[in-house]
Amino acid sequence: DSTSTAVFERRESDVRSYCRSWPVVFERALGAEQTTEDGTTYLDFFSGAGALNYGHNHPALKRALQDYLAQDTVVHAMDMFTPAKRDFLLALEELVLRPRGMGHKVQFPGPTGTNSVESALKVARKATGRTDVVSFTNAFHGMTLGSLAVTGNSLKREGAGTPLYHSMTAPYDDYLDGRTPDLHWLERVWADSGSGVALPAAVIVETVQGEGGLNAARAEWLRALADLCRRFEVLLIVDDVQAGCGRTGTFFSFEEAGIDPDIICLSKSLSGLGLPFAVTLLRPELDQWEPGEHNGTFRGFNPAFVTATAALREFWSDDTFAETVRQRGARLREGLERIGAEAGGAAYRGRGLLAGLAFEDLSRAERVAAAAFDRGLLVETSGPDSEVVKLMPPLTVTEEELDRGLQLLAEAVRATA
Ligand code: PMP
């Protein structure tokens, strides 16, 4: 009993998602692999839902944390000045913000992605004096009430059981190649002030909808959206919690589109080692909180500053790592397209190392993910009907591991035909 999954079933309330799909006890993890307590090793193309872009226990990040803890340094997370926070701010400024010409200020909203989204929504409403936030169909921004208000998923919204604050959902359907960026109707609604439609405080968007089915917005559409927001002085929030930190082949996922968002949410892989950590990047004039107006206990977890700094210095000092990610992303796309064609037309979705296959038979993706698990590969599904098999290998994945994962996926797809 003490080594089985029985105690989780008996005592843990929330055994409803990943542990349902993977009813084993994971004990150790290194790089792209996780091993159970009875010694079975899995190739991990799930990466902690995107929190492990540099793989499990990356030696440089682990050493930085071990060294930090060995010195009786500050471990807590209040918003005091510490050398660890200073080092993080300097690394972010030097390696990420300044080279991209970004003057954004760094806000520490709390430990998770949804905390970053909440603070983005609040600051947008405060700075503009407006209420509404436009979000998109199939968007996912987090499970707290504000984030849920801009999440386009009925299962998750209805779970809240309460009316959420005003928001408006706009169709996110321009990921389909060859479609014209149709933001025309949004423009007409915003311009029509006489009919009493309130101009929103902000638009919040993911460049690739991680949970919503790996829908990748085209650069042209993102540029049109950014332009529309600028013209109406509506703030543009990019939620880069899942697609950021290098996942699409650049540090921020919106770089390819060349847009300059007012507010950016980052979390998941920011700490590098999987420690809870988030930031909200704000254009300086939006930095408007009064002292004490927006605070919380766990806003500056010093061990996360340490590992985040180590990750920035290890991987983002030049473009070498990003270039490798782009190459791996292209290889993943080729492999997925091959498997998709063999499966009779399952479609490639996503961008970079946030990619997968959409199946027409809606139950197929879940069966493929289960068959992959049986073969030693961890992958999850995504999309409103869980119709997409989603691959998120660590960005440090080797070619050999990538090919092995694709091979296991191909076998799983064949086994579910
Ligand atoms: N935004 C996006 C785009 C996400 O993918 C997620 C998590 N899947 C969140 C926000 C919420 O992050 P967290 O689960 O850490 O609150």
Side-chain angles (χ1 to χ4, degrees):
D1 193 47
S2 67
T3 59
S4 76
T5 57
V7 66
F8 307 110
E9 304 286 345
R10 188 168 69 239
R11 276 290 175 214
E12 188 183 352
S13 131
D14 194 19
V15 284
R16 294 191 188 97
S17 51
Y18 297 115
C19 47
R20 279 269 176 255
S21 311
W22 305 325
V24 292
V25 183
F26 290 110
E27 187 175 37
R28 280 168 296 117
L30 190 63
E33 292 184 334
Q34 278 204 108
T35 303
T36 63
E37 61 184 355
D38 60 10
T40 310
T41 295
Y42 290 83
L43 192 55
D44 182 4
F45 280 16
F46 169 64
S47 299
L52 293 160
N53 279 6
Y54 314 111
H56 294 274
N57 284 306
H58 187 280
L61 311 190
K62 193 172 75 172
R63 201 176 324 114
L65 181 61
Q66 285 170 326
D67 290 350
Y68 187 73
L69 293 176
Q71 297 169 49
D72 286 339
T73 38
V74 173
V75 170
H76 68 63
M78 292 306 292
D79 71 341
M80 296 163 195
F81 295 151
T82 62
K85 184 194 278 191
R86 183 170 55 210
D87 289 348
F88 170 74
L89 287 170
L90 286 171
L92 193 71
E93 183 174 68
E94 175 194 330
L95 303 174
V96 175
L97 300 178
R98 205 183 291 133
R100 290 165 180 78
M102 294 168 67
H104 292 69
K105 298 199 78 172
V106 186
Q107 208 241 332
F108 298 109
T112 73
T114 200
N115 293 140
S116 177
V117 172
E118 293 284 344
S119 93
L121 300 177
K122 282 174 70 175
V123 90
R125 286 157 56 114
K126 180 175 166 82
T128 59
R130 302 183 212 130
T131 310
D132 292 357
V133 175
V134 170
S135 61
F136 293 94
T137 50
N138 292 314
F140 184 87
H141 296 293
M143 296 299 282
T144 52
L145 283 170
S147 302
L148 211 46
V150 288
T151 287
N153 180 304
S154 59
L155 171 73
K156 292 180 167 70
R157 288 173 67 104
E158 280 157 17
T162 59
L164 300 166
Y165 81 76
H166 307 284
S167 75
M168 181 165 100
T169 299
Y172 185 98
D173 55 5
D174 286 285
Y175 54 87
L176 296 168
D177 285 338
R179 221 150 152 161
T180 29
D182 186 8
L183 292 160
H184 219 70
W185 66 273
L186 201 54
E187 176 161 6
R188 286 181 57 192
V189 170
W190 288 358
D192 186 14
S193 54
S195 64
V197 176
L199 204 61
V203 169
I204 183 166
V205 67
E206 299 155 272
T207 65
V208 182
Q209 293 184 325
E211 306 302 315
L214 302 178
N215 309 311
R218 287 181 300 127
E220 192 190 3
W221 184 81
L222 287 170
R223 277 195 291 274
L225 181 63
D227 176 61
L228 184 65
C229 288
R230 192 116 315 151
R231 280 190 286 124
F232 282 86
E233 295 182 354
V234 168
L235 298 174
L236 180 64
I237 305 170
V238 170
D239 179 349
D240 234 3
V241 165
Q242 184 156 170
C245 297
R247 185 109 325 250
T248 64
T250 49
F251 186 83
F252 295 109
S253 70
F254 53 80
E255 286 177 52
E256 193 185 280
I259 60 170
D260 185 15
D262 302 294
I263 304 178
I264 300 148
C265 303
L266 283 179
S267 182
K268 288 202 191 274
S269 278
L270 189 59
S271 80
L273 204 61
L275 305 182
F277 186 40
V279 298
T280 312
L281 303 178
L282 308 172
R283 212 181 271 294
E285 61 272 24
L286 301 177
D287 182 24
Q288 296 185 6
W289 302 124
E290 302 294 332
E293 197 177 9
H294 182 73
N295 57 18
T297 307
F298 293 115
R299 290 194 304 134
F301 187 41
N302 281 282
F305 288 135
V306 170
T307 56
T309 304
L312 291 175
R313 299 229 171 265
E314 180 76 18
F315 295 101
W316 298 99
S317 290
D318 59 35
D319 198 47
T320 318
F321 177 67
E323 180 52 34
T324 309
V325 174
R326 292 193 284 272
Q327 285 168 13
R328 297 280 188 278
R331 197 179 181 88
L332 178 61
R333 181 173 190 147
E334 274 169 37
L336 285 171
E337 284 177 342
R338 203 166 49 236
I339 295 168
E342 212 183 286
Y348 171 87
R349 290 271 186 88
R351 200 147 66 82
L353 288 177
L354 177 56
L357 284 176
F359 289 90
E360 267 173 36
D361 167 0
L362 295 184
S363 72
R364 181 86 178 269
E366 292 281 14
R367 289 186 284 119
V368 169
F373 175 69
D374 292 341
R375 286 161 179 77
L377 174 69
L378 304 179
V379 290
E380 69 167 331
T381 60
S382 151
D385 297 302
S386 300
E387 75 280 17
V388 180
V389 175
K390 176 182 176 190
L391 276 69
M392 255 197 308
L395 308 186
T396 50
V397 70
T398 63
E399 278 192 4
E400 182 278 320
E401 287 165 337
L402 196 59
D403 292 349
R404 184 149 49 95
L406 284 164
Q407 180 62 36
L408 293 170
L409 182 72
E411 287 170 23
V413 168
R414 263 177 242 129
T416 54

